[in-house]
Amino acid sequence: MLSAIDLNLFDGAAVPLWALGGTLQLCDAAAQEDADVSCADQRFNHGGSMLPSDAPANGPVLNARCPFMGLSAFTEDDAEFFYGRDRDTGRVLEAVCTRPVTIVVGPSGCGKSSLVQAGVLPRLRAKGVSISEVRPTSGLSAAAVLARALAEVLEQGLGETERPARTLELLELLKIDRIDSVAAELRAEVLVYGGIAGHVLFVDQLEEYADAEPQAARDLFGLLAALAGKDGSATLHIVTTARPGSLDTLVTVDTSRLVSEAVCFLAPLARADLARAVSGPVDAMPGLSFEPGLPDRILEAARDEPGRMPLIQVTLTELWMQRTRSSLTHAAYDDIGGVAGSIASYAEHALNLLTQAQRDCVPRLFVQLVRPGDGDAYSRQPVRATDLSPELLDLARELATRRLVVLHHAPGGADGEEIVDLPHEALIQLWPRLRQWLVDYRDFRVWQEQLRADLRRWQTHAQETARLLRGYDLAEALDRLAKHPEDISADERGYILLSHRRSRWRAGRAVQTASGVAGKAAVSTKQVKDSGSRPHWQGLTVVGLWVAVLLAAASISVHGLLSSFRLHSQLGPSDTPAVVTAIVALGTATGTLIGVVLTSYAKYVQARGQAEADLIRARAEMMRAEADVTRARAGLPPHTPSVNGDPSAPTPLASLAAPDASQPPPSVGSPDAP
């Protein structure tokens, strides 16, 4: 209950202190204007309250707790203010009690999470069922997501030193290809530590995980489906929420029958139920009321709006903050711009309470909490607090007090890993300023999502060096890192810098290799030139000796004939062998010489052509080697021809210094700055 406390301060002057969301705000009559501004700082603090500025100190005192949720879903703690879903709550409760798996399916903004958390789960606890939550987080594998949730249950019986080993054991067991062999044992173990009437694993916002990590979402659903079921008299139940489009991602051959039996469709509230959701919380709070006709105005304005429940909740929260005494008024409704303007008003008021330095950081924070999709589509994306820069994390904590972002801890995470998220997708659709930020940052965020996909593949494939960035992708990553150093997480930065160092090492090796090829090509060119001009001395010598012998024989025969002719003045029969020998020798010598000349000429022509061809090839090889040296120094891969034989034109992207290639490559797990 809110109360005014009179304390004798400042020489006995009575000063009222208002309890606003757990914070006492000092207000005195002399500084009423400043107090109003300071009190307004608490307008978005769920769980707190603010008396209207014109409420008398001795006027009616309302429950300090705001009965409306703004953009947040109703939780088990808010069940007393959850109205309008009685029939749906009973229907889903019956499904959960009779089925191992229940999927509450409905469009965004219809209240799926609120129905389960504020309607179904409290009734399950009343039956003795224990409950734990599974929070899928983008970037985590299905095994890691489920291991965190199960560790929260199973580690109850373990000491502090045993828990890390148990978590690692769960990660090993929770693999989709071996879950069938261990599911029964894990189910029994969970039910030992669960409630006497069974245990429920509640998976909220599975659709966002399916959007960001389709395969991981399928694996997670497969693991959950395998774990669900009976063990003796107790049952391990799986309850999750999803949008209709997410079912296409989750369904596989193995789970199609289960999904068809597990789905409970949830439609937007009918007019009568919506009216009950609006008036019920007000009726439950003594002293609080609507001005006549205001609920009808709200319902009429929200009739055709998509995601109308978050719209109405934000509108009612705004009216609560601006109430006059104990009444929610038409004047306040007009001031906030009605239902259509309530979310923008809600967000803008929160920003107006920040410092200028904080407002400058707001776009950077919000674009990290949204993932760009196809076309102009966007969806929520939870982010680990450790992935945000210190100033963005501080800003997130500040905005969490005004419910413009939400903070929660991943179940079973190391040291309760903190997650930052948007309270509802309606903020993306209906806050014009945020939409403009998303357009402005879209190019960077699309690139960053691709980088994160590359990083996850590298991590899941044993950090293979072949999956590091190179070429154009690396050059772009270095450029983005230089322009957005604060918006790139430590893991992403390490991946980029490791890729850079590895590329420089490869460049050094490539320069060394290409230089060696170029040197060999130059030597080869010189050898071709020398071989093309060197005569074939051995062959010519043999032929020359043979011709000389023939000519000598012919010369001897002719000399003998001439001598015989001088003596006898004629040639006789005895001179016939000498004549034959001379003729044969001369003919053979002449033929040999002609054959040698022709053969030598043919070989000369052939050798000359081959030498010229070899010279051209050697020169081309040397030119390619020199080009590879240039490309290696630029950090590019070696030159390769295209399919049709045309060389691909190199495009210089970054000037990376080539280190000593004799140094070993960098360790994959230890990125160094360039």
Side-chain angles (χ1 to χ4, degrees):
M1 303 289 290
L2 270 180
S3 60
I5 305 173
D6 290 336
L7 297 181
N8 292 325
L9 300 174
F10 302 101
D11 298 327
V15 181
L17 293 175
W18 301 104
L20 302 176
T23 302
L24 294 179
Q25 185 66 46
L26 183 62
C27 306
D28 60 17
Q32 186 61 45
E33 182 178 355
D34 293 340
D36 289 342
V37 173
S38 182
C39 290
D41 187 58
Q42 304 297 327
R43 63 188 289 110
F44 303 101
N45 189 358
H46 176 57
S49 175
M50 181 178 69
L51 286 182
S53 58
D54 59 347
N58 59 354
V61 177
L62 299 177
N63 190 325
R65 185 178 178 187
C66 177
F68 310 113
M69 297 301 107
L71 287 173
S72 301
F74 285 84
T75 67
E76 290 187 68
D77 294 335
D78 307 313
E80 63 181 298
F81 301 123
F82 183 66
Y83 288 87
R85 287 288 190 185
D86 294 338
R87 287 177 296 181
D88 292 318
T89 298
R91 180 167 58 91
V92 174
L93 179 63
E94 181 182 1
V96 173
C97 292
T98 57
R99 305 172 185 173
V101 177
T102 303
I103 310 174
V104 181
V105 177
S108 178
C110 73
K112 303 182 294 292
S113 297
S114 295
L115 170 69
V116 174
Q117 294 186 96
V120 176
L121 297 187
R123 289 166 174 78
L124 287 173
R125 287 194 192 276
K127 292 176 177 289
V129 177
S130 59
I131 299 167
S132 57
E133 188 173 0
V134 180
R135 288 186 179 270
T137 303
S138 177
L140 292 181
S141 66
V145 168
L146 189 52
R148 287 179 167 188
L150 294 182
E152 193 173 56
V153 179
L154 301 179
E155 289 178 357
Q156 296 177 24
L158 299 179
E160 290 294 332
T161 58
E162 300 171 298
R163 291 181 180 178
R166 181 54 170 154
T167 302
L168 292 176
E169 181 184 351
L170 285 171
L171 282 173
E172 183 63 26
L173 291 175
L174 291 170
K175 291 184 176 179
I176 194 66
D177 57 349
R178 63 176 300 183
I179 186 61
D180 290 337
S181 63
V182 299
E185 181 181 350
L186 278 176
R187 182 190 310 125
E189 194 171 354
V190 170
L191 291 173
V192 166
Y193 293 103
I196 58 174
H199 188 78
V200 166
L201 288 175
F202 170 51
V203 189
D204 192 21
Q205 304 297 339
L206 183 59
E207 62 266 24
E208 292 166 7
Y209 192 50
D211 288 344
E213 307 281 351
Q215 185 58 54
R218 279 191 290 272
D219 290 345
L220 176 60
F221 188 72
L223 293 173
L224 292 168
L227 286 177
K230 278 184 170 294
D231 184 75
S233 60
T235 303
L236 178 59
H237 300 273
I238 306 299
V239 181
T240 184
T241 62
R243 290 192 295 265
S246 303
L247 296 180
D248 294 337
T249 300
L250 300 177
V251 173
T252 64
V253 173
D254 296 331
T255 61
S256 58
R257 180 177 178 181
L258 176 64
V259 170
S260 64
E261 297 173 350
V263 170
C264 284
F265 285 103
L266 187 66
L269 283 171
R271 172 80 180 212
D273 292 330
L274 190 59
R276 181 64 176 149
V278 171
S279 61
V282 175
D283 295 340
M285 184 171 289
L288 184 64
S289 64
F290 284 106
E291 282 189 347
L294 183 54
D296 291 334
R297 288 186 68 188
I298 295 172
L299 294 175
E300 185 65 25
R303 179 179 56 184
D304 299 324
E305 291 291 341
R308 58 186 179 181
M309 274 310 298
L311 272 175
I312 289 176
Q313 284 294 316
V314 168
T315 302
L316 294 173
T317 302
E318 284 282 285
L319 292 175
W320 162 267
M321 295 301 179
Q322 299 190 32
R323 68 193 183 278
T324 301
R325 293 182 172 84
S326 58
S327 181
L328 309 183
T329 67
H330 287 278
Y333 181 76
D334 293 334
D335 286 343
I336 64 175
V339 170
S342 59
I343 285 186
S345 175
Y346 182 92
E348 294 295 336
H349 283 151
L351 296 191
N352 290 338
L353 299 172
L354 300 175
T355 66
Q356 184 58 52
Q358 289 174 322
R359 284 198 290 270
D360 292 341
C361 292
V362 168
R364 292 173 45 212
L365 172 64
F366 276 92
V367 298
Q368 289 297 323
L369 303 179
V370 179
R371 186 178 65 86
D374 296 333
D376 60 351
Y378 298 91
S379 59
R380 290 163 57 188
Q381 175 167 281
V383 175
R384 296 181 301 176
T386 53
D387 287 340
L388 296 175
S389 60
E391 67 273 15
L392 294 190
L393 183 56
D394 290 342
L395 175 61
R397 298 190 192 285
E398 180 71 19
L399 291 177
T401 66
R402 301 179 175 93
R403 307 307 294 171
L404 205 53
V405 301
V406 292
L407 303 177
H408 60 81
H409 292 273
D415 300 324
E417 185 176 54
E418 195 169 32
I419 305 297
V420 184
D421 196 3
L422 290 181
H424 201 280
E425 283 192 346
L427 201 63
I428 301 173
Q429 305 300 327
L430 300 171
W431 187 16
R433 190 187 294 268
L434 176 55
R435 293 291 296 187
Q436 186 58 52
W437 289 336
L438 295 177
V439 171
D440 294 341
Y441 278 79
R442 182 178 179 82
D443 182 59
F444 169 72
R445 287 291 292 115
V446 168
W447 167 83
Q448 190 173 38
E449 287 302 311
Q450 181 58 53
L451 174 71
R452 290 171 176 172
D454 293 339
L455 172 59
R456 287 193 290 272
R457 280 193 293 269
W458 174 70
Q459 291 171 333
T460 55
H461 287 81
Q463 299 185 350
E464 296 175 354
T465 56
R467 295 185 181 273
L468 293 173
L469 301 174
R470 62 180 66 193
Y472 178 84
D473 291 338
L474 176 57
E476 183 181 18
L478 292 170
D479 181 64
R480 298 282 189 182
L481 179 60
K483 293 178 179 177
H484 301 271
E486 302 89 354
D487 298 323
I488 295 176
S489 71
D491 287 347
E492 295 160 7
R493 179 184 178 87
Y495 178 61
I496 294 171
L497 294 182
L498 178 59
S499 299
H500 185 201
R501 185 168 179 236
R502 182 76 184 184
S503 176
R504 290 170 55 186
W505 181 83
R506 282 196 304 264
R509 296 284 294 179
V511 168
Q512 188 178 61
T513 301
S515 298
V517 171
K520 290 180 180 179
V523 172
S524 176
T525 302
K526 185 176 184 302
Q527 289 174 346
V528 169
K529 288 181 178 180
D530 293 342
S531 65
S533 60
R534 186 171 60 245
H536 302 286
W537 293 110
Q538 291 181 345
L540 291 177
T541 301
V542 171
V543 172
L545 290 174
W546 171 243
V547 171
V549 169
L550 292 174
L551 291 177
S555 177
I556 292 172
S557 297
V558 171
H559 184 268
L561 289 174
L562 292 175
S563 299
S564 177
F565 186 79
R566 282 196 301 269
L567 291 174
H568 304 289
S569 299
Q570 61 179 2
L571 296 177
S574 61
D575 296 322
T576 300
V579 173
V580 173
T581 300
I583 293 172
V584 171
L586 287 173
T588 302
T590 302
T592 300
L593 287 174
I594 293 173
V596 168
V597 170
L598 293 176
T599 302
S600 298
Y601 181 74
K603 289 185 176 181
Y604 167 77
V605 171
Q606 182 182 7
R608 180 70 177 269
Q610 183 65 41
E612 290 178 351
D614 291 343
L615 181 60
I616 291 172
R617 281 195 293 270
R619 286 173 176 171
E621 183 64 27
M622 185 169 64
M623 292 174 67
R624 279 196 296 270
E626 291 173 349
D628 284 345
V629 172
T630 302
R631 291 174 65 84
R633 286 174 175 162
L636 300 175
H639 178 88
T640 56
S642 61
V643 175
N644 60 8
D646 296 330
S648 57
T651 304
L653 297 170
S655 296
L656 305 178
D660 184 359
S662 63
Q663 296 298 318
S667 171
V668 172
S670 304
D672 292 335

